[in-house]
Amino acid sequence: MYLDGYPKSIKKVIRYIKQDAPLDQLRELEVVLAKSIQQRKKKLKGEVVK
């Protein structure tokens, strides 16, 4: 499986997205995940994160 190296919580989120999440929650999750990823990338690059 392509998620073998990730924590169990990530695997559960992916499973929820694939199987149970309604459309409105998918939209919310998409925004939250994208923002979190961008913040982490900035932090790793040494930029100030708001």
Side-chain angles (χ1 to χ4, degrees), residues 10-39:
I10 297 297
K11 294 176 186 180
K12 287 181 179 183
V13 169
I14 298 300
R15 184 173 53 230
Y16 176 72
I17 289 170
K18 287 182 175 183
Q19 296 177 359
D20 298 323
L23 187 56
D24 60 324
Q25 282 188 346
L26 288 174
R27 289 182 181 129
E28 290 175 14
L29 284 168
E30 188 173 23
V31 171
V32 169
L33 290 172
K35 186 175 180 179
S36 297
I37 290 169
Q38 286 301 320
Q39 287 176 340

